[in-house]
């Protein structure tokens, strides 16, 4: 909720002396998912940085998949965030929010710190089948320090050959399909495997992004970000997981998504037929 | 993460027979905040509806305050969501995401089911000081079935005279200032007082919106929405509240926000001087 420029200026002045103190608090911590985050010593104590964060956007994406992480990444002083699309034409989400790209596949920096893609349903299947989009993801993915997604965005990573041999997660409805791209599906909120960070469905982008902020800067920095966003969740119901939702809710939403999951299987089959673009990321 | 039209069509076919069963599950429930939600009997069993939801947008808003709720409201089959600004010019958030309005103060429906405003910092103070914005909010607020906000958006409601005599909440940094508008500040994630629903900072919009979906439709409907959004939060750190964050995090972020809180006090004083526009909502 803070103006970025103002925040960045003030934070830079404010937080620099604290880095030494923060170091003491920063250790390897375990996520709630059982996948440990391990912070490299040099990831601590950087209160400003120069990360180049490329966030793919495309028609039909789920905008919450994008904005959850974007709102956390926006706390990174000195970082630059690019909302990258095929062209600078406005992009409309699956729920009819239209946003403006800030870069194209051509103008996006070649060397990214973080490559990210949101998910969705039909729009995501289209993105994961689009040669230009896959070529962009494979190209930037070949050099990006971190390759990341939230929700069914991992289908785009998978189709681009970026999850072959990696543990990853996705929205509950299509997580198992990741194995079709050579990935090892993991039932967890946030999964890290080497430099791949993937989040589960939609709102998992908040947990994913706080983990990324801690990885890129420090735990203390992520805690500051969390307090600013007042991320102290108190869902009024306990239906956010297939493990906790009432059986009727799970059954009906699974039914609702049958058409999507069928199409995901078709995507996986079509990708297998043409082969993953692995030569691009070798 | 679901295409709205597809979802709406399928949900309408799927969920209609379930309304009777869902009724049995729907009782008054207590939120984690101690403010009870009480569902009116006729709010249950509506699997489609015709809500008119007006969401104010303005330069410098915090886009996560908007998108969290919007992504949950988008699950409401048959509802129409308007992103309302002074003009149809693109609106840029505090973290540089630019979105396109879909209605203006003139074209927004006169009778709204839900009037909503996101928060922010300098942009929110500007909106809460802008006569056109306040006139719009007071006018639609005079007839809206529900008057709502997330984060410091409650400052806009307050300045428009819409919280006088009501319990309400806000971002932790400016919650107490609501008393300057005649409101009763409540330290809670989501606060309901009659037809006012207010959420705490930024990410509280998710909890707020699920409560609203349950209020507008049913608990079962909200649980379906929650599962689709996989809202099963697992923050990697415990710093989302001033009550749980490390003392240093709280101290530093409080310091960072001093300029903002000073300006909030100035807004409250200026509003008191000119008087709340209560004649508009009497």
């Amino acid at each position: 909720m803070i103006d970025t420029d103002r925040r960045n200026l003030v934070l830079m002045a404010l937080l620099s002396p604290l880095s030494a103190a923060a170091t003491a608090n920063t250790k390897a911590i375990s996520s709630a998912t059982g996948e440990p985050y391990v912070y490299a010593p040099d990831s601590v104590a950087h209160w400003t940085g120069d990360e180049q964060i490329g966030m793919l956007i495309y028609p039909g994406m789920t905008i919450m998949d994008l904005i959850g992480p974007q709102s956390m990444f926006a706390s990174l002083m000195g970082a630059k965030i690019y909302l990258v699309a095929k062209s600078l034409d406005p992009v409309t989400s699956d729920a009819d929010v239209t946003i403006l790209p800030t870069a194209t596949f051509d103008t996006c920096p070649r060397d990214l710190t973080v490559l990210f893609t949101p998910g969705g349903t039909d729009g995501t299947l289209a993105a994961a089948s689009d040669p230009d989009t896959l070529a962009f993801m494979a190209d930037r993915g070949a050099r990006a320090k971190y390759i990341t997604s939230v929700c069914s965005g991992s289908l785009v990573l998978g189709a681009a050959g970026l999850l072959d041999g990696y543990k990853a997660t996705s929205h509950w409805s299509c997580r198992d399909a990741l194995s079709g791209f050579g990935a090892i599906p993991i039932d967890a909120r946030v999964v890290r495997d080497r430099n791949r960070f993937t989040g589960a469905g939609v709102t998992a982008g908040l947990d994913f992004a706080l983990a990324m902020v801690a990885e890129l800067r420090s735990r203390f920095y992520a805690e500051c970000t969390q307090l600013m966003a007042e991320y102290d969740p108190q869902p009024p119901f306990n239906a956010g997981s297939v493990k906790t939702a009432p059986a009727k809710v799970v059954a009906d939403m699974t039914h609702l998504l049958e058409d999507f999951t069928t199409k995901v299987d078709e995507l996986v089959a079509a990708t297998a037929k043409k082969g993953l673009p692995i030569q691009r990321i070798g």
Side-chain angles (χ1 to χ4, degrees), chain A:
Chain A
M1 63 156 272
I2 304 307
D3 176 89
T4 306
D5 292 337
R6 173 180 305 280
R7 173 170 50 192
N8 288 355
L9 285 171
V10 178
L11 267 175
M12 265 187 279
L14 179 68
L15 296 179
S16 299
L18 304 176
S19 54
T23 305
N25 287 329
T26 305
K27 307 169 190 170
I29 60 153
S30 290
S31 73
T33 67
E35 296 284 312
Y37 302 119
V38 179
Y39 304 119
D42 71 351
S43 74
V44 181
H46 290 170
W47 298 111
T48 185
D50 58 2
E51 296 92 345
Q52 305 282 302
I53 300 175
M55 307 186 82
L56 177 70
I57 63 176
Y58 54 82
M61 67 179 173
T62 294
I63 196 161
M64 178 64 200
D65 295 3
L66 174 79
I67 295 300
Q70 194 276 345
S71 67
M72 299 294 185
F73 291 160
S75 77
L76 296 170
M77 296 181 290
K80 287 191 181 164
I81 300 175
Y82 304 87
L83 304 179
V84 190
K86 265 196 177 186
S87 77
L88 293 178
D89 291 342
V91 172
T92 299
S93 80
D94 59 359
D96 289 331
V97 176
T98 300
I99 72 172
L100 301 185
T102 63
T104 67
F105 292 168
D106 290 331
T107 65
C108 176
R110 281 177 46 80
D111 295 296
L112 293 170
T113 314
V114 179
L115 176 66
F116 171 86
T117 175
T121 51
D122 287 351
T124 304
L125 295 168
S129 309
D130 176 63
D132 292 343
T133 302
L134 295 179
F136 168 78
M137 295 298 289
D139 177 74
R140 296 310 191 275
R143 291 179 306 281
K145 187 170 178 187
Y146 298 100
I147 295 172
T148 70
S149 65
V150 163
C151 197
S152 57
S154 49
L155 298 176
V156 180
L157 297 186
L162 295 167
L163 292 180
D164 196 11
Y166 287 86
K167 293 178 186 171
T169 195
S170 192
H171 189 269
W172 57 268
S173 63
C174 58
R175 185 178 59 240
D176 289 346
L178 293 176
S179 60
F181 303 116
I184 302 108
I186 301 289
D187 178 10
R189 189 82 177 154
V190 181
V191 172
R192 176 188 191 162
D193 185 351
R194 288 158 280 173
N195 73 336
R196 268 63 167 176
F197 280 75
T198 50
V202 193
T203 55
L206 298 169
D207 305 317
F208 153 83
L210 283 175
M212 287 299 306
V213 168
E215 171 74 13
L216 292 165
R217 300 292 174 92
S218 71
R219 174 176 177 156
F220 182 80
Y221 203 110
E223 289 175 329
C224 289
T225 302
Q226 184 179 1
L227 182 59
M228 281 299 197
E230 207 162 345
Y231 186 44
D232 178 32
Q234 296 171 19
F237 312 110
N238 190 22
S241 158
V242 294
K243 294 189 281 289
T244 62
K248 193 80 179 156
V249 170
V250 176
D252 290 347
M253 294 304 102
T254 300
H255 182 185
L256 175 61
L257 286 164
E258 269 175 13
D259 177 64
F260 172 62
T261 54
T262 298
K263 288 181 181 172
V264 169
D265 291 341
E266 291 167 2
L267 169 72
V268 169
T271 304
K273 195 170 174 185
K274 72 181 179 188
L276 290 174
I278 52 174
Q279 73 285 1
R280 290 181 173 278
I281 62 166

